[in-house]
């Protein structure tokens, strides 16, 4: 709502308040509040965003103003609202959140009827039924923040529901596992440029292990690398086989969920640490959009995002998201150019049936980022390759959909499917780690990936009796990845790392090549039961059977290897709702990670790598503020880890790694002006078995014992001609960690600082400045393969945005 409409709004508000006061003189009839502008603005519904200016006053008057300012119809029995006061509500927010604030402490709550009328009613359960007034509880089925990942959370750092943890729409408080959610509001506030940045303030997560190497998003969860198998988009896997893959564009996402611990009982093959599930932006029922430009040193980006109904009264909605970027990274001769387009459409032919079509095209032309061999001390921005042979270029196309149909009031069918094609051109020259002053290595990959995945789910919800409520999920999924890569290996002439002189393509000589095709098809069937007992206990039992066919066809040599793997994995969880705000949970879960490569180097045969987890935790979701606090203790073990035996030039599956630890996390969006995140991780990781006996009892390489982070931003409300001013800052700490499994060297700890300033020039125009690694700290993120990898230096970006 524009400021120019404030006078008219106040006049209409006075009329509504006087009318409501007359109607409240009796408790024999319900009181109804509605705005004359209902037809114009009520289409936003309870999930729409509105400008509120409601002072602390009687609940009757407050509800009247709520109806005027939203155009929503509100009805309440006069006896319920008599002599009840409401808190003040101001600012731009979703209607559901504003209404919860008005009703906080009144013992009242609300429901939304089929015709979108909001009905205020008393909370009646337990002591309330015996005449005692309780504080209201959220009616999560109607609140915007509880509507799950299909609705973007644009005004809070806190998400209270997620489909990721159980593949059902379950409150985070009720689920017997640890999950962290990065909302769209948090990503926008921090202006994240990749997935690593998005999850870097999450407990249990170690991001950007290879620093300025930006080929992939490197993420560890609970000490285990999840880059290969632990990435999901809209619930479907985005697995990396060898090299061919493309990085997701964070501007195309509305939420990122980090599910921690073993997840195979629902998602199939994966490592024991967990997974990252990214939710693509969906069309919205309310028209809106934005255009923006971002600029910095050697950096220019422009983009936009528009959504709304295709036409008036249409049951089709659309969304078009796109951006263009022309940028250089800090390292010499590097680039990060992007083009992203994502049209999406949602069709709702009738209540309970919905089809969302999700498509995207992404083109990225980038360099690589390099490690620096031991003994070379030079600028972290130095470049030792060849400018004409320094490419990691990808082109990705996605076509998919999400379909749901409510068969009956208890039975729902869902299906997600996606086809992906990725083309990769990967060309590089780099220093030899062992003799960096000698000839350099040359390496190239030309790859193409075809991926198809589909997940079918049938969910049946029922109340068995007054004591038991059941939520049963049955699923069948299928995924097929075919990855063909032409690889070339060679050398390039030596270079002086302290005074580099480049020679171009003429000094590169290729000595060998290979042409390999990896095809992996996975078939999974799973079942899960979530049984709620007397409203206080929730038992979760799940199991899954996976069958995996892995074929490696080395076309250049005419050799083929085939293998089949199968495994049943399970999950047992129990949640106790100690109060309406506090839950205590425990779980046991398993992981299953096949080894897809050939048998030639594994004379003893290949077994899947298997993991088990034991976890207990507590979650606290206060009713008086928008916040969620979690704590988790866990014990993870992975067995059958493949290790290279240099003496026999073969792999041996002898490795075993254990990771035990503590995670603490809090997310808060307070008084509509303050956002706060806190995270701490303690990891006690240990090598239990190893091909090198001396390593047993050591810490795994590059796994820190301590990590911590904090982010705080505060909005100073604007006055007069001055708009809102938001000031934010964050800290990320990574502790010491071993450089190698032998623990012969240690990498030092480091602390990085980030900052943000956002100024609302007008109601529709904002200017923001974001800085990462504000102090330009030079640090080594890892030291592996004989090379040091430096983290990114200071980056400062300014963004001018127009929204409507």
């Amino acid at each position: 709502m524009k400021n120019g409409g404030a006078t008219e709004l106040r006049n209409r508000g006075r009329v509504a308040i006087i009318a409501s006061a007359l109607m409240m003189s009796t408790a024999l009839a319900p009181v109804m509040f509605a705005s004359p502008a209902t037809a114009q603005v009520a289409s936003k519904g309870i999930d729409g965003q509105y400008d509120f200016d409601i002072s602390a006053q009687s609940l009757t008057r407050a509800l009247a103003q709520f109806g005027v300012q939203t155009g929503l119809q509100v009805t309440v029995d006069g006896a319920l609202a008599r002599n009840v006061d409401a808190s003040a509500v101001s600012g731009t927010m979703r209607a559901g959140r504003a209404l919860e604030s008005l009703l906080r402490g009144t013992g009242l709550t609300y429901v939304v009827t089929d015709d979108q009328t909001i009905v205020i009613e008393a909370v009646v359960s337990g002591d309330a039924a015996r005449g005692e007034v309780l504080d209201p509880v959220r009616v999560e089925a109607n609140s915007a923040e509880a509507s799950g990942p299909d609705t973007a959370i644009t005004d809070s750092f806190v998400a209270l529901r997620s489909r990721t943890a159980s593949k059902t729409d379950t409150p985070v408080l009720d689920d017997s596992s640890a999950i962290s959610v990065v909302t769209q509001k948090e990503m926008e506030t921090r202006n994240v440029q990749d997935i690593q940045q998005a999850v870097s303030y999450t407990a249990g997560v170690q991001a950007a292990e290879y620093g300025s190497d930006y080929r992939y998003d490197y993420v560890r969860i609970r000490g285990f690398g999840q880059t290969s198998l632990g990435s999901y988009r809209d619930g479907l896997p985005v697995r990396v086989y060898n090299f061919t893959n493309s990085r997701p564009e964070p501007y195309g996402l509305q939420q990122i969920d980090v599910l921690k611990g073993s997840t195979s009982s629902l998602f199939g093959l994966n490592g024991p640490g967990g997974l990252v599930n990214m939710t693509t932006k969906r069309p919205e029922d309310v028209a809106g959009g934005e255009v923006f430009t971002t600029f910095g040193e050697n950096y220019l980006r422009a983009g936009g995002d528009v959504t709304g109904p295709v036409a008036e009264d249409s049951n089709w909605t659309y969304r078009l998201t796109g951006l263009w970027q022309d940028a250089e990274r800090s390292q010499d001769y590097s680039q990060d150019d992007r083009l992203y387009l994502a049209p999406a459409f949602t069709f709702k032919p009738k209540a309970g049936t919905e089809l969302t079509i999700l498509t995207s095209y992404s083109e990225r032309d980038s360099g690589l980022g390099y490690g620096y061999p031991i003994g070379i001390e030079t600028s972290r921005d130095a470049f030792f390759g060849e400018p004409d042979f320094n490419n990691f270029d990808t082109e990705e196309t996605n076509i998919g959909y999400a379909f749901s149909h409510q068969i009956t009031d208890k039975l729902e069918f869902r299906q997600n499917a996606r086809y992906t094609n990725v083309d990769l051109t990967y060309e590089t020259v780099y220093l030899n780690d062992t003799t960096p002053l000698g000839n350099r290595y040359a390496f190239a990959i030309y790859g193409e990936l075809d991926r198809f995945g589909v997940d079918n789910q049938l969910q049946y919800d029922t109340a068995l009796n007054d004591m038991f409520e059941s939520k049963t999920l049955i699923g069948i999924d299928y995924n097929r990845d075919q990855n063909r890569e032409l690889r070339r290996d060679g050398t390039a002439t030596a270079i002086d790392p302290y005074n580099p002189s480049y020679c171009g393509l003429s000094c590169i000589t290729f000595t060998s090549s290979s042409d390999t095709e990896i095809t992996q098809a996975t078939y999974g069937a799973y079942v899960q039961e979530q049984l709620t007992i007397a409203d206080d206990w929730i038992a979760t039992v799940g199991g899954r059977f996976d069958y995996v066919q892995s074929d490696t066809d080395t076309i250049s040599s005419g050799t083929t290897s085939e293998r089949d793997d199968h495994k049943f994995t399970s999950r047992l969880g129990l949640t106790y709702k100690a109060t309406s705000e506090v839950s205590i949970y425990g779980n046991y879960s398993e992981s299953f990670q096949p080894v897809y490569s050939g048998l030639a180097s594994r004379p003893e045969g290949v077994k899947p790598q298997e993991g088990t987890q034991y976890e207990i935790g507590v979650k606290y979701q206060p009713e008086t503020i928008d916040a969620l606090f979690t704590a988790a203790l866990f014990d993870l073990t992975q067995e059958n880890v493949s290790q290279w035996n240099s003496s026999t030039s073969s792999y041996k599956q002898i490795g075993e790694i254990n990771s035990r630890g503590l995670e603490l996390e809090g997310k808060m969006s307070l008084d509509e002006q303050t956002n706060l995140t806190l995270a701490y991780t303690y990891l006690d990781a240990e090598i239990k078995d190893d091909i090198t006996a001396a390593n047993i009892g050591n810490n795994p390489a590059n796994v820190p014992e301590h990590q911590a982070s904090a982010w705080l931003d505060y909005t100073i409300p604007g006055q007069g001609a001055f708009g809102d001013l938001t000031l934010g800052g964050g800290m990320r700490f990574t502790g010491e960690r071993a450089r190698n499994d032998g623990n012969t060297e240690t990498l030092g700890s480091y602390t990085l600082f980030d900052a943000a300033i956002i100024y609302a020039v007008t109601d529709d125009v904002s200017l923001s400045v974001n800085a990462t690694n504000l102090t330009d700290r030079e640090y080594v993120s890892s030291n592996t393969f004989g090379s040091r990898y430096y983290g990114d230096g200071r980056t400062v970006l300014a963004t001018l945005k127009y929204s409507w």
Side-chain angles (χ1 to χ4, degrees):
M1 180 180 297
K2 303 293 187 290
N3 289 337
T7 302
E8 179 184 356
L9 175 63
R10 285 194 294 269
N11 292 335
R12 290 187 295 167
R14 292 190 187 100
V15 175
I17 291 171
I18 294 171
S20 64
L22 292 174
M23 296 178 70
M24 283 297 293
S25 63
T26 176
L28 298 178
V31 181
M32 185 171 291
F33 308 102
S35 165
T38 296
Q40 298 177 13
V41 295
S43 60
K44 295 182 180 180
I46 193 69
D47 293 345
Q49 291 202 45
Y50 304 86
D51 292 336
F52 289 98
D53 183 15
I54 303 174
S55 61
Q57 56 190 300
S58 70
L59 180 60
T60 306
R61 292 172 179 268
L63 290 174
Q65 290 190 1
F66 175 88
V68 169
Q69 296 179 22
T70 62
L72 296 171
Q73 185 169 276
V74 185
T75 180
V76 61
D77 191 314
L80 292 178
R82 183 177 296 140
N83 299 323
V84 176
D85 293 328
S87 303
V89 174
S90 64
T92 302
M93 69 191 79
R94 288 193 297 267
R97 172 162 297 177
L99 192 53
E100 287 176 0
S101 297
L102 292 176
L103 299 177
R104 189 169 294 141
T106 64
L108 302 175
T109 186
Y110 72 92
V111 295
V112 181
T113 64
D114 292 340
D115 64 357
Q116 299 303 303
T117 298
I118 299 171
V119 180
I120 309 299
E121 59 183 30
V123 179
V124 181
S125 62
D127 292 337
R130 295 187 289 271
E132 297 181 27
V133 177
L134 303 177
D135 281 342
V137 294
R138 286 183 177 89
V139 183
E140 291 170 325
N142 295 318
S143 65
E145 57 270 60
S147 58
D150 291 343
T151 302
I153 300 176
T154 58
D155 63 349
S156 176
F157 277 34
V158 184
L160 303 179
R161 302 183 87 91
S162 170
R163 282 194 185 272
T164 300
S166 62
K167 288 194 175 182
T168 63
D169 187 12
T170 300
V172 173
L173 198 66
D174 293 355
D175 208 292
S176 58
S177 58
I179 183 168
S180 299
V181 180
V182 183
T183 66
Q184 185 173 330
K185 171 68 173 180
E186 182 175 352
M187 287 190 284
E188 290 177 348
T189 301
R190 294 197 281 112
N191 192 25
V192 301
Q193 300 297 298
D194 53 49
I195 303 303
Q196 296 177 146
Q197 286 186 6
V199 301
S200 61
Y201 282 83
T202 302
V205 174
Q206 180 184 355
E209 180 174 342
Y210 292 99
S212 58
D213 181 357
Y214 48 98
R215 294 172 296 171
Y216 310 100
D217 290 298
Y218 298 99
V219 176
R220 283 182 184 262
I221 305 176
R222 293 184 170 176
F224 293 93
Q226 300 301 129
T227 301
S228 296
L229 298 179
S231 294
Y232 284 72
R233 183 157 186 166
D234 300 318
L236 297 171
V238 186
R239 295 171 182 145
V240 181
Y241 299 90
N242 281 3
F243 296 97
T244 305
N245 206 58
S246 177
R247 296 181 79 179
E249 174 52 59
Y251 186 65
L253 305 176
Q254 66 182 37
Q255 183 166 304
I256 299 176
D257 297 351
V258 181
L259 177 59
K260 304 163 194 175
S262 302
T263 62
S264 291
S265 65
L266 272 180
F267 291 91
L269 54 156
N270 198 5
L275 60 85
V276 176
N277 184 34
M278 301 163 283
T279 302
T280 305
K281 285 181 176 177
R282 311 296 176 94
E284 297 180 353
D285 295 332
V286 180
E290 65 180 29
V291 290
F292 73 93
T293 181
T294 301
F295 47 93
E297 184 178 2
N298 298 318
Y299 184 104
L300 180 62
R301 171 187 256 200
D305 182 19
V306 293
T307 186
V310 171
E312 187 176 355
D313 299 325
S314 173
N315 50 14
W316 283 88
T317 54
Y318 78 96
R319 189 160 193 166
L320 178 60
T321 307
L323 67 81
W324 167 88
Q325 177 174 303
D326 184 1
E328 297 179 8
R329 306 283 290 205
S330 60
Q331 193 171 45
D332 295 340
Y333 299 102
S334 66
Q335 61 179 352
D336 186 11
D337 298 342
R338 309 182 195 180
L339 175 64
Y340 178 79
L341 292 171
F345 299 91
T346 293
F347 176 53
K348 299 178 182 179
K350 61 180 181 178
T353 301
E354 182 173 323
L355 172 67
T356 297
I357 302 170
L358 299 168
T359 68
S360 66
Y361 173 80
S362 176
E363 182 179 337
R364 297 181 68 134
D365 297 334
S366 63
L368 289 87
Y370 290 88
Y372 295 79
I374 297 172
I376 300 297
E377 301 293 338
T378 184
S379 166
R380 60 182 168 178
D381 296 333
F383 176 71
F384 306 134
E386 286 297 324
D388 297 333
F389 202 74
N390 180 52
N391 302 298
F392 194 87
D393 301 341
T394 59
E395 186 177 8
E396 176 178 337
T397 303
N398 286 287
I399 303 174
Y401 64 84
F403 173 75
S404 65
H405 175 61
Q406 196 75 37
I407 301 172
T408 70
D409 60 340
K410 297 181 179 180
L411 185 64
E412 182 184 23
F413 172 73
R414 298 188 293 270
Q415 184 181 78
N416 294 343
R418 182 176 61 244
Y419 167 76
T420 301
N421 177 265
V422 179
D423 283 314
L424 169 68
T425 298
Y426 177 6
E427 300 170 326
T428 182
V429 170
Y430 58 99
L431 291 181
N432 188 323
D433 294 335
T434 56
T435 57
L437 300 182
N439 282 347
R440 295 170 290 168
Y441 287 132
F443 177 76
I445 291 284
Y446 304 98
E448 181 175 8
L449 169 69
D450 282 299
R451 171 183 293 132
F452 174 75
V454 60
D455 186 12
N456 304 281
Q457 303 169 15
L458 197 63
Q459 182 177 324
Y460 182 71
D461 298 349
T462 187
L464 304 179
N465 52 43
D466 292 340
M467 285 286 293
F468 299 98
E469 293 182 1
S470 170
K471 183 184 292 183
T472 304
L473 178 71
I474 299 174
I476 298 175
D477 62 25
Y478 168 75
N479 295 278
R480 185 179 187 273
D481 292 78
Q482 186 175 47
N483 179 21
R484 183 169 182 176
E485 294 180 346
L486 173 64
R487 172 171 177 162
R488 306 179 71 188
D489 291 273
T491 60
T493 56
I495 195 173
D496 182 355
Y498 302 102
N499 185 25
S501 178
Y502 307 111
C503 55
L505 300 180
S506 61
C507 65
I508 300 174
T509 302
F510 287 106
T511 57
S512 65
S513 65
S514 64
D515 189 357
T516 304
E517 185 174 85
I518 298 172
T519 303
Q520 186 173 82
T522 64
Y523 307 81
Y526 55 91
V527 62
Q528 176 183 265
E529 170 64 29
Q530 294 171 279
L531 184 65
T532 302
I533 308 168
D535 295 329
D536 295 331
W537 295 88
I538 304 170
T540 303
V541 181
R544 176 181 171 115
F545 179 79
D546 279 286
Y547 177 68
V548 184
Q549 294 177 319
S550 303
D551 300 334
T552 303
D553 185 5
T554 307
I555 300 170
S556 53
S557 64
T559 60
T560 301
S561 66
E562 300 177 357
R563 67 169 291 103
D564 297 339
D565 292 291
H566 55 84
K567 179 69 176 177
F568 178 82
T569 52
S570 62
R571 172 193 179 193
L572 302 172
L574 184 65
T575 300
Y576 172 59
K577 301 290 287 294
T579 71
S580 60
E581 298 177 315
V582 177
S583 65
I584 302 168
Y585 72 91
N587 76 59
Y588 165 81
S589 56
E590 298 173 335
S591 67
F592 162 64
Q593 184 176 353
V595 179
Y596 63 82
S597 57
L599 296 172
S601 61
R602 292 167 169 80
E604 298 178 3
V606 183
K607 297 180 292 185
Q609 300 177 155
E610 300 178 0
T612 57
Q613 174 186 262
Y614 299 89
E615 178 179 342
I616 59 173
V618 61
K619 302 176 184 179
Y620 172 50
Q621 178 193 323
E623 294 176 353
T624 56
I625 59 174
D626 185 16
L628 182 65
F629 304 92
T630 60
L633 286 167
F634 57 88
D635 189 320
L636 276 168
T637 300
Q638 186 179 44
E639 300 174 334
N640 301 334
V641 178
S642 297
Q643 296 183 307
W644 179 255
N645 187 339
S646 58
S647 62
T648 61
S649 296
S650 65
Y651 280 94
K652 190 176 181 67
Q653 287 189 287
I654 192 175
E656 180 179 336
I657 298 174
N658 175 256
S659 177
R660 299 179 297 175
L662 166 69
E663 293 167 352
L664 302 174
E665 184 172 280
K667 293 202 174 191
M668 290 153 277
S669 286
L670 310 176
D671 62 29
E672 315 301 335
Q673 295 176 261
T674 307
N675 296 302
L676 174 66
T677 72
L678 300 168
Y680 169 74
T681 307
Y682 168 76
L683 273 180
D684 178 16
E686 182 181 350
I687 299 172
K688 292 292 188 178
D689 201 358
D690 196 277
I691 199 167
T692 303
N695 291 345
I696 298 176
N698 288 349
N699 301 122
N702 209 43
V703 178
E705 187 176 24
H706 300 281
Q707 284 185 275
S709 66
W711 173 273
L712 172 66
D713 65 71
Y714 178 74
T715 299
I716 303 171
Q719 294 186 4
F722 297 97
D724 294 350
L725 177 65
T726 301
L727 304 176
M731 175 276 295
R732 294 174 282 138
F733 168 78
T734 300
E736 291 185 351
R737 59 247 185 258
R739 188 187 77 80
N740 51 37
D741 288 347
N743 292 185
T744 57
E745 297 179 47
T746 299
L747 297 177
S749 63
Y750 58 88
T751 302
L752 307 178
F753 296 93
D754 306 321
I757 301 175
I758 306 171
Y759 177 66
V761 181
T762 70
D763 289 345
D764 303 320
V765 179
S766 65
L767 175 64
S768 61
V769 179
N770 292 81
T772 55
N773 191 4
L774 184 63
T775 60
D776 202 24
R777 171 71 185 271
E778 183 174 301
Y779 65 99
V780 176
S781 57
S782 66
N783 193 336
T784 55
F785 310 113
S787 293
R788 302 185 311 278
Y789 289 82
Y790 286 97
D792 283 326
R794 178 173 51 232
T795 301
V796 180
L797 299 176
T799 299
L800 181 65
K801 181 186 297 185
Y802 172 72
S803 304
W804 64 91

